[in-house]
Amino acid sequence: MTTPDSPHRLPNFSAGPATIPTPVLARAQDEMLDWQGRGLSVMEMSHRSKDYMAITKKAETQLRSLMDIPDNYKVLFLQGGASLQFSAIPLNLLNGGRGDYLTTGAWSGKAIKEAERYAALGLGEVNLVATGKGNNFTDVPAQSDWNLSDNAAYFHYCTNETIHGLQIFEPPQVDAPIIADMSSSILSQPIDVSKFGMIYAGAQKNIGPAGLVIVIIRENLLGQASDWCPLILNYEHQAEKESMSNTPATYSWYLAGLVFDWLEEQGGVAAIGKINQQKAALLYETIDNSTFYNNPVAHKHRSIMNVPFTLADSTLDKEFLAQSEAAGLLNLKGHRDVGGMRASIYNAVPLEWVQQLVRFMQEFEKKHG
Amino acid sequence: MTTPDSPHRLPNFSAGPATIPTPVLARAQDEMLDWQGRGLSVMEMSHRSKDYMAITKKAETQLRSLMDIPDNYKVLFLQGGASLQFSAIPLNLLNGGRGDYLTTGAWSGKAIKEAERYAALGLGEVNLVATGKGNNFTDVPAQSDWNLSDNAAYFHYCTNETIHGLQIFEPPQVDAPIIADMSSSILSQPIDVSKFGMIYAGAQKNIGPAGLVIVIIRENLLGQASDWCPLILNYEHQAEKESMSNTPATYSWYLAGLVFDWLEEQGGVAAIGKINQQKAALLYETIDNSTFYNNPVAHKHRSIMNVPFTLADSTLDKEFLAQSEAAGLLNLKGHRDVGGMRASIYNAVPLEWVQQLVRFMQEFEKKHG
């Protein structure tokens, strides 16, 4: 039964939009019609109002603290998702130079495709450093085989390929400013922001609701946008306007702040990182200790956020998905590009849900293995 | 006292993000942790899931019905706000031709400024048809004085200037496809969509939360985007992908659907339009029947959504704002570009709130007039 104290909440392994911590939703629910006695919802506040400005400042300060972001980086809360950044990056940063791109899966593949369109129009050059396509994106090409440019304007890669479940845990050692799409790994474990020129992440995995994208950019990269860049996508302009060139996604920004509150209560990024390691280890052990389940990704690049797996007998896929859903384990279907199953286990997925999933997997194997 | 049945809700005259109907917020509150027994929030649903797809289809069907949108128009639910459309319009539709722009205030002024940037880059030509700047945007230049282009690619205007409180109630008679920024007037009264080539509107006034922008575009205008257009801003591409080229602002889209439910319950756009007329008439009468308050806009162009007004003695502005806020009447400060006061009275502002405001204005006049 659902009561205010025990809402009906099922284990949700969606790749994004993804699970949000129950206490965050409960607080948003509580504040929905009347934020702190002001007689209106956050959703109804002018983005220029004192209360709302305080909400945004608090969120930015928290993110800076959680990620230990140096002072010479701007933090922008923008709209359009990470995919719009695939265009914004060359429009802001290619500037007649060469953009180096490492392709390790679907998302980094989309990023270079958009950059190549702009290179073809004369915005600069785009260079494919290496691609993991040859091994179906189950491993990262060895850096000794990379074709890095001299004096590249930037080096772009994706820290965690949500679809392929492939993660690069340490930034590569390259000379160019590193731009990282961290949509599905941001805040999942400590990183050294100072090693990056720019970090960006769609919110809908580890930050909050879809419709918000966070850009963390070193100040010395600002100010070189092409005239072709839409004003709203111009990082320097948005930095000057504190992400309010136009009305931002106000409610999503507020919810991000509530997620940051929750993350602080968990002990911050290092603490949640340990739980993430535990969750991932449990799932991969279950897979590896069985001949029934399989994950093809090279061990050192196995994602701690997205765990794709297949059944030895793929004719059982439908049965697995039907039974897991009937058991209240939601959204385990793999992405259509790779098939099979996928469990996304972002920060907000508690260890208990992963334990439930593992029990289900073991029972399913007993019945059908 | 605030109870679930009578939440603490104050009259909110914010220009946007603006008031959302209390029953909509109450329903969102109710469904926050568990949508229809599914064990998860709408915010946590995959945008490709059956439940979420049904939510989006329902919202689109409702909007089509509420606005009587002909079948040869696509309806897109995008991100980035109306301001990003200022770039998307020339990038999608200028196509080497001439864009005619009518400037009647701050927002139409921003739209042409962005288009002019792209014209300077060779995307086409931009023509200022007329501007109301000479009279401080208190009136619309007579159409007999307009400098219309032959064979323009499009004619752009803003139906309602939120800052200046100036509204154009009927689309002008021009040959080119009409593009209208309806951010602050959409759904406020019946319009004939077939007279427009494209309508767009940021959601944060009459539709829902900030972070969503709706584009209604006639199909024959699709397919002529410049290669410089970011993929995510390409209307044809987004139409093909049913607004899901990337993850949309899922929660905002759902809330828009709840607002459409509420609007249907009010009797639809014609019914709410009558109440809007009443609300505006009451406010303008109060202003006109006084020498203490003033609104400078030509009567036939006075906005029924945004009512700016000044005090004869502007040294009393601060006192008016302090006392109105103390009386629980929120967000009456005028935009910094024009000063004075502004009451935004969108669909979700009930007549009673306007009556409260009028009583306050009359009492303030008695004390200080």
Side-chain angles (χ1 to χ4, degrees), chain B residues 151-356:
Chain B
N151 300 312
Y154 58 79
F155 170 93
H156 179 280
Y157 80 116
C158 176
T159 53
N160 185 62
E161 288 283 356
T162 318
I163 294 174
H164 294 89
L166 177 137
Q167 191 161 357
I168 300 173
F169 292 94
E170 287 295 327
Q173 304 229 338
V174 297
D175 293 331
I178 297 176
I179 302 180
D181 176 357
M182 290 198 188
S183 294
S184 55
S185 76
I186 194 165
L187 293 167
S188 66
Q189 56 171 24
I191 56 155
D192 181 352
V193 173
S194 74
K195 290 187 175 164
F196 296 87
M198 171 177 151
I199 290 166
Y200 66 107
Q204 68 271 22
K205 286 100 159 53
N206 269 334
I207 295 168
L212 183 72
V213 58
I214 288 179
V215 171
I216 302 164
I217 184 165
R218 205 165 56 215
E219 287 170 355
N220 70 345
L221 293 174
L222 298 172
Q224 43 176 332
S226 160
D227 289 340
W228 286 100
C229 184
L231 183 67
I232 297 297
L233 301 187
N234 184 309
Y235 299 142
E236 184 186 34
H237 172 72
Q238 286 285 18
E240 275 169 13
K241 298 287 186 181
E242 299 182 306
S243 308
M244 292 199 189
S245 170
N246 65 335
T247 313
T250 53
Y251 193 68
S252 304
W253 196 340
Y254 149 77
L255 281 167
L258 298 191
V259 172
F260 300 154
D261 286 343
W262 174 84
L263 203 46
E264 286 174 354
E265 285 158 19
Q266 308 310 302
V269 176
I272 205 90
K274 282 182 193 150
I275 302 170
N276 287 332
Q277 292 286 357
Q278 263 187 288
K279 283 151 47 185
L282 179 57
L283 252 179
Y284 286 116
E285 274 166 31
T286 305
I287 292 166
D288 290 342
N289 289 337
S290 129
T291 51
F292 189 78
Y293 298 108
N294 184 50
N295 169 287
V297 178
H299 283 228
K300 70 175 177 173
H301 288 299
R302 282 175 158 185
S303 168
I304 61 168
M305 293 281 100
N306 309 96
V307 182
F309 57 93
T310 53
L311 306 187
D313 177 2
S314 66
T315 63
L316 287 171
D317 283 10
K318 273 192 182 169
E319 185 67 16
F320 182 96
L321 290 168
Q323 285 195 23
S324 58
E325 195 173 327
L329 302 166
L330 306 181
N331 290 313
L332 285 166
K333 193 174 180 184
H335 189 277
R336 59 191 182 284
D337 286 358
V338 295
M341 266 58 73
R342 173 175 52 172
S344 293
I345 51 174
Y346 300 119
N347 285 352
V349 170
L351 178 61
E352 293 70 33
W353 288 4
V354 179
Q355 290 166 335
Q356 276 181 256

Side-chain angles (χ1 to χ4, degrees), chain A residues 308-319:
Chain A
F309 58 93
T310 53
L311 306 188
D313 176 2
S314 65
T315 63
L316 286 171
D317 283 9
K318 273 192 182 166
E319 185 68 15

Side-chain angles (χ1 to χ4, degrees), chain A residues 2 7-10 12 14 16-20 22 25-26 28-30 32-34 37-41 43-49 79-84 87 91 110 114 117-118 121 123 204 209-212 226-233 245-251 255 330-331 336, chain B residues 2 7-10 12 14 16-20 22 25-26 28-30 32-34 37-41 43-49 79-84 87 91 110 114 117-118 121 123 204 209-212 226-233 245-251 255 330-331 336:
Chain A
T2 304
H8 176 58
R9 303 271 299 158
L10 292 176
N12 177 12
S14 175
T19 291
I20 290 181
T22 301
L25 292 175
Q29 180 180 49
D30 190 48
M32 178 61 91
L33 280 88
D34 176 22
R38 298 294 201 283
L40 78 177
S41 176
M43 219 182 278
E44 303 171 301
M45 288 181 184
S46 165
H47 55 300
R48 310 280 183 198
S49 66
Q79 298 181 58
S83 295
L84 189 52
S87 317
L91 284 165
K110 286 190 182 196
E114 189 67 359
R117 289 204 314 112
Y118 285 109
L121 294 167
L123 202 58
Q204 67 271 20
L212 183 73
S226 159
D227 289 340
W228 285 101
C229 184
L231 183 67
I232 298 296
L233 301 188
S245 170
N246 64 336
T247 313
T250 53
Y251 193 69
L255 281 167
L330 306 181
N331 291 312
R336 59 192 181 284
Chain B
T2 305
H8 176 57
R9 301 274 296 157
L10 292 176
N12 176 12
S14 174
T19 291
I20 290 181
T22 301
L25 292 175
Q29 181 179 48
D30 191 50
M32 179 60 92
L33 280 88
D34 176 22
R38 297 296 201 283
L40 78 176
S41 175
M43 218 180 278
E44 303 171 302
M45 289 181 184
S46 164
H47 55 299
R48 311 278 183 199
S49 66
Q79 298 181 58
S83 295
L84 189 52
S87 316
L91 284 165
K110 286 191 182 195
E114 188 68 358
R117 287 203 316 112
Y118 285 110
L121 294 168
L123 203 59
Q204 68 271 22
L212 183 72
S226 160
D227 289 340
W228 286 100
C229 184
L231 183 67
I232 297 297
L233 301 187
S245 170
N246 65 335
T247 313
T250 53
Y251 193 68
L255 281 167
L330 306 181
N331 290 313
R336 59 191 182 284

